[in-house]
Amino acid sequence: MSVFRLVQEALTNVLKHAGPGASASVRLVRDAEDLVIEVVDDGQGTDPTSDGLGHGLTGMRERMSLLGGTPQAGPLPSRGYRVRATVPPPADHGTPGEADGPASPCTTTDPGTSPGPAADDPRGETP
């Protein structure tokens, strides 16, 4: 969800600050080491009418730091703006016993027990 919010905020900033006619691209690259998220626009770089008091970039930094990630944001040398973040894989990724992937949120180890409320929610979230 944090990666989604980073991209969402970066694209919102393009709409607000890049200027008329600007376009943007979103790139996600995952390898064994990291996930790299990059949002680049070809707009005016920085918005001269912005007071810089928004909380978007602060929120991006906070979300990425919770994941152990490193965000970067700023104008490009000639024109445009880039938001880039590098996020390491989750610490529990690939733990023993997960050869077939992570357990379903409604999996139980005792066949006599109920899977609980998560079984009703396809996202695996409990109320």
Side-chain angles (χ1 to χ4, degrees), residues 59-100:
M60 288 183 203
R61 281 190 291 275
E62 289 171 355
R63 283 185 179 88
M64 291 301 103
S65 70
L66 289 173
L67 299 175
T70 55
Q72 303 166 343
L76 295 171
S78 60
R79 185 170 170 84
Y81 198 88
R82 177 176 62 192
V83 173
R84 186 175 196 273
T86 304
V87 181
D92 63 344
H93 183 39
T95 56
E98 291 187 342
D100 295 326

Side-chain angles (χ1 to χ4, degrees), residues 5-32:
R5 287 289 297 128
L6 175 99
V7 172
Q8 183 181 42
E9 181 62 35
L11 290 174
T12 298
N13 286 348
V14 171
L15 290 172
K16 286 179 159 180
H17 306 295
S23 63
S25 64
V26 175
R27 189 172 74 117
L28 302 169
V29 178
R30 181 177 171 215
D31 60 22

Side-chain angles (χ1 to χ4, degrees), residues 38-49:
E38 189 173 64
V39 180
V40 178
D41 73 62
D42 60 0
Q44 60 191 0
T46 56
D47 182 354
T49 64

